[in-house]
Structures are given as structure tokens and as C-alpha cells.
Amino acid sequence: MQSNAALEYDYTVAKLFTYTAIIFGLVGMLIGTLIAAQLAFPELNYLFGEYGTFSRLRPLHTNVVIYGFTVSGVFATFYYSAQRVMKVSFAESPFLMAVGKLQFVLYVILAAWMVVTLFMGVTANKEYAQMEWPLDVLTVVVWVLWGVAMFGLIGMRREKALYISMWYYIACFLGVAMLYLFNNMEVPTYFAAGGLGSMMHSVSMYAGTNDALVQWWWGHNAVAFVFTVPIVAMVYYFLPKESGQAVYSYKLSLLSFWGLMFVYLWAGSHHLIWSTVPDWMQTMGSVFSVVLILPSWGSAINMLLTMKGEWNQLTENPLIKFMVLASTFYMLSTLEGPIQAIKSVNAIAHFTDWIPGHVHDGVLGWVAFMIMAALFHMAPRMFKREIYSKKMMEAQFWVQTTAVVLYFTSMWIAGITQGMMWRAVDEYGNLMYSFIDTVTVLHPYYTIRAVAGVLYVAGFVLFAYNMFMTITASKKIEEEPQFRSPMAA
């Protein structure tokens, strides 16, 4: 074993997942912008025949952003930060290094297979669980390999105390493993239909209301354990490392952790309010969703108070800007979700554009901002080069912030307008508006959303270019920065 003084961290796997995060982010967001434009301008549905329609591209967009961009970001930041907080290098274990590389190779194969099958229209027809069973099996293999790398590293660590970020990464691994397995239990239709079906296509082992409950137990907790828990892990590591500030309260971080673990799991049935699901389960989903504000805001407030007395860093360091605003969007999103889960509010919000408005202020403002900030922080330390352009990062920040605000405000207005128009009746109890009336009224807001998409992708192109130039052409640095990342003007 190497001594601490001579310890050289091995970023091979972290670099590989950094590349895929950038590529999948660009592809997923380009598709998202196209389908946003299709809702405003329907003729865009006919650009590529059946392969260019909204219904074919929308699952591709969500899966590439969630399982491509976000999960790549989770893996990249884990393989970078885990070594550092546990004072051990992957180079010390050829076995764990091989596991990490194998995980990456299988992950890329899985991602390519997912893109091809979804383009072909091969789907299990479940939200956030569209991949068919062979891909589910490969997903399990990839996930188990990550677990082997994670617990292998924990087993050989020199730092005996597990930093809070590792708690959240472990929770991400265990939560997704449990939920994914249960929701994706399915049978190929070849066996279900007495040999008349297909070996590739499958049907769920659950039916009706049970299927809906298991699906949203998974669906909402995909948000919990992919979009929330590992992103909190990132901010607890990268904000203190970039700012030079200690986490405000370690006790609050643990309290928020256990609150999230207990409460988030039972909030999924709020997706099924006003459905055939038993009323007590709908109420449980509402109650747990409202209680969820406490641990969510506990984490966010802890992040913001970490900058107490050092707010001047926001004007000096764009990376701090990204992380602080990400935490702010997290607070906004985790207040908005519980409000939508209140039954009387849900009666207006359900099936409207307010829902994607809520999702995207979380994904674009919280998840993507934090992943991009983390990759920027990692780049000088992994590639021994300063960040290529501070001005470009500042421009990216303002372009993307404008995009997020345009996106969620246009969808708030559109969604509430939709909900009110669908419910409006005249003095005789007849509906006052037809469906096409609502579509006509919402057209300007759909156009604003498409413009927001273009702006956000433009910002992501700036990010990708800045990262590329940082990796390949930026000025080399001799010593690893202790805190603030070096960047050229």
C-alpha cells in the first residue's frame, strides 16, 4: 500500500464517464429542444418520418438525459471524489480498476442499445422504465459492477469515517437497485401468449392499479435516487472543496439524509391522485410529499449556509454561482412538488404543463447546473490544466439561467391556464372550452418554452466547448489547486 504522502489518485474511469456525460447531455438536450419546438410547431413532427415524431423522440429525450447525462455525471463524480474522501486510489487495486473499466464498457453498450431500440419504437411503455427486459438485465449488471467498485473502495479505505457524500452515493446505489428490480419484473410475451408473442417484447408481472402503484413507487423514486440523492452528494463534496468553506452543519446533513430516506420512498402515490388507487394511498402520498419539504430544505439550507460570510465568492467565482443557484433551484423545486401533491391543487395541475415545468426547473436548474459545476471543478485536477475561459463560463451561466426561468414560468402559466380552462363550465354545467381552445391559447407559451430550450442548449454548447478546450489546449498547471479552480480570463 502506498503512503498518504505519495498517494496518486487514478482518474481513468472518472475521465471516461466525464466524456459520456458531456456527449449524452448535448444529445439529450438537443432532442428535448426539438420536441419542445414540435409542440409549438407541429409540422416539425414530419421531418424524419416515423423516427422524428414527438411520440418516438420523447422517451429518447428523457432516457438519454436521465440515464445518459445524469447517471454518467453520478458515476464520474463518484469515481473522482470517492478516492479523495477515503484516501485510497483505484490504482492500488487492479481488480477494482478492471471492474470500473468493465462497468464503463457495458454502460456504453447499454446506452447505444437503448438509443437504437427506442428509435425503433421497441418499448416497455412504462415511464422512466421504457427499456425492454434484455436491457434491464444489462442495467442490473452495470449497476452491480458499480456496487462492487463502491464497496470495494470502502473496504480498503484509509479514512475510517465515511464522509456524508458517500452516504448519499450508497443510498443512490441501494435505492435504485431495490426499486428498479421490483418495477421491471416482466415476462416476454412469447411465454405470456403461448408462443405467439415476441421474445424481445414483454409485459409487466403486475396489472391494473397494482402496476400503477409499483410504477410510480419507482417513477418518483427515480427522481429521488437519481435526480436528488447523488446530486446532494455532489454539492456536499464540491461546494466546500471549491469555496474552502466547511459544511455548515454535519448534524443537519445527517438529519436531512435520514429524513429523505424515510419520507421520499412513500411520496410516489401522489402521481396517482384522482385515480382508481385507494383513497388512503393518495392521501399518504400527499402527506409524505408535504413532509418532504423538511429534509429537502434542510439539505438546501445547509448548502447555502456553508457560504455564510463568503458570499463575495459569488461575484468572483462562476463555479460558486452555479452551485449556489443549483441549491436555490432545489429549494424551489422541492417546495413546488409538495404544493402540486395537495389534492385540491392537484385537481388543477394534473396532466397539465405545470408538471413538466416543475420537473425541468429541477432537472435544468438543480441537476444539470450541479453536474456541470462538478465537472468544471474536476477538470483542472484530472487533466492538470486550468479551465479554458472564465468569461465563457459566466456567459453560459447567464444564458442558461435565463433559459430555466423562461422555461418554468411559461409552463406555470400554461399549466394553470390549462387546468382552469378544462374545469370551466357555463350556467348549464357544460364545458365552456373545447380541447383545441386550450391548445390555441397555449401556443405562445409553447413557443417561449422552445426558445428556452434553444438558449439552454446554446449554454450547454459553451460548456462542452469550454471543457474540450480545457482538456486539450488550456494552460498546464504544476500543482493541484487546493480550493478555487484556476481559470483563464
Side-chain angles (χ1 to χ4, degrees), residues 209-232:
T209 300
N210 287 341
D211 189 34
L213 278 169
V214 175
Q215 158 59 24
W216 283 111
W217 187 48
W218 155 254
H220 193 70
N221 285 296
V223 175
F225 289 97
V226 179
F227 279 166
T228 303
V229 168
I231 313 301
V232 174

Side-chain angles (χ1 to χ4, degrees), residues 146-214:
W146 183 39
V148 171
M150 181 185 297
F151 290 105
L153 208 63
I154 290 171
M156 57 188 280
R157 72 190 188 277
R158 292 188 179 85
E159 177 59 63
K160 294 306 175 188
L162 272 185
Y163 183 62
I164 188 64
S165 288
M166 289 305 107
W167 288 48
Y168 280 94
Y169 281 120
I170 292 167
C172 170
F173 170 75
L174 294 176
V176 170
M178 171 185 68
L179 294 154
Y180 195 89
L181 285 172
F182 273 97
N183 186 48
N184 289 281
M185 288 184 176
E186 50 209 11
V187 180
T189 53
Y190 179 84
F191 299 111
L196 297 176
S198 166
M199 277 300 294
M200 184 63 185
H201 185 56
S202 60
V203 290
S204 173
M205 286 181 66
Y206 314 103
T209 300
N210 287 341
D211 189 34
L213 278 169
V214 175

Side-chain angles (χ1 to χ4, degrees), residues 61-283:
H61 162 63
T62 54
N63 280 271
V64 170
V65 169
I66 297 171
Y67 305 125
F69 169 66
T70 305
V71 170
S72 284
V74 171
F75 291 155
T77 55
F78 168 80
Y79 278 105
Y80 171 86
S81 63
Q83 301 179 81
R84 300 172 75 95
V85 298
M86 293 192 279
K87 301 292 187 290
V88 64
S89 173
F90 275 105
E92 297 176 63
S93 173
F95 171 72
L96 291 184
M97 178 57 70
V99 167
K101 290 178 179 177
L102 178 61
Q103 182 203 349
F104 176 77
V105 170
L106 294 180
Y107 172 79
V108 171
I109 292 170
L110 171 63
W113 196 359
M114 178 191 75
V115 168
V116 170
T117 53
L118 289 178
F119 247 134
M120 291 168 60
V122 178
T123 170
N125 296 315
K126 298 180 82 169
E127 185 76 349
Y128 310 136
Q130 281 98 347
M131 290 187 287
E132 278 290 5
W133 72 267
L135 283 80
D136 288 334
V137 172
L138 187 52
T139 300
V140 170
V141 174
V142 169
W143 206 253
V144 168
L145 287 171
W146 183 39
V148 171
M150 181 185 297
F151 290 105
L153 208 63
I154 290 171
M156 57 188 280
R157 72 190 188 277
R158 292 188 179 85
E159 177 59 63
K160 294 306 175 188
L162 272 185
Y163 183 62
I164 188 64
S165 288
M166 289 305 107
W167 288 48
Y168 280 94
Y169 281 120
I170 292 167
C172 170
F173 170 75
L174 294 176
V176 170
M178 171 185 68
L179 294 154
Y180 195 89
L181 285 172
F182 273 97
N183 186 48
N184 289 281
M185 288 184 176
E186 50 209 11
V187 180
T189 53
Y190 179 84
F191 299 111
L196 297 176
S198 166
M199 277 300 294
M200 184 63 185
H201 185 56
S202 60
V203 290
S204 173
M205 286 181 66
Y206 314 103
T209 300
N210 287 341
D211 189 34
L213 278 169
V214 175
Q215 158 59 24
W216 283 111
W217 187 48
W218 155 254
H220 193 70
N221 285 296
V223 175
F225 289 97
V226 179
F227 279 166
T228 303
V229 168
I231 313 301
V232 174
M234 290 178 205
V235 80
Y236 270 130
Y237 176 81
F238 290 103
L239 184 59
K241 287 301 291 183
E242 184 66 28
S243 66
Q245 294 284 98
V247 171
Y248 175 72
S249 170
Y250 202 67
K251 287 180 180 177
L252 184 55
S253 69
L254 295 178
L255 185 68
S256 299
F257 174 84
W258 289 112
L260 275 177
M261 293 309 103
F262 179 72
V263 177
Y264 226 134
L265 278 167
W266 307 111
S269 57
H270 72 212
H271 286 265
L272 300 166
I273 292 174
W274 308 115
S275 72
T276 56
V277 168
D279 193 59
W280 69 268
M281 297 202 77
Q282 298 179 37
T283 303

Side-chain angles (χ1 to χ4, degrees), residues 247-360:
V247 171
Y248 175 72
S249 170
Y250 202 67
K251 287 180 180 177
L252 184 55
S253 69
L254 295 178
L255 185 68
S256 299
F257 174 84
W258 289 112
L260 275 177
M261 293 309 103
F262 179 72
V263 177
Y264 226 134
L265 278 167
W266 307 111
S269 57
H270 72 212
H271 286 265
L272 300 166
I273 292 174
W274 308 115
S275 72
T276 56
V277 168
D279 193 59
W280 69 268
M281 297 202 77
Q282 298 179 37
T283 303
M284 183 181 74
S286 294
V287 170
F288 274 91
S289 297
V290 173
V291 174
L292 192 54
I293 294 172
L294 297 174
S296 301
W297 275 48
S299 297
I301 290 169
N302 208 8
M303 297 163 197
L304 296 178
L305 287 177
T306 295
M307 296 306 299
K308 187 179 178 183
E310 287 288 327
W311 290 106
N312 59 298
Q313 290 197 37
L314 266 78
T315 59
E316 301 161 2
N317 188 347
L319 271 186
I320 299 293
K321 268 198 197 110
F322 272 106
M323 289 191 249
V324 167
L325 192 61
S327 303
T328 307
F329 277 125
Y330 178 48
M331 292 181 77
L332 175 65
S333 189
T334 52
L335 177 63
E336 184 184 13
I339 288 171
Q340 290 179 338
I342 297 168
K343 283 190 174 184
S344 55
V345 179
N346 193 270
I348 294 174
H350 210 68
F351 297 123
T352 72
D353 289 305
W354 190 6
I355 307 302
H358 161 59
V359 171
H360 284 77

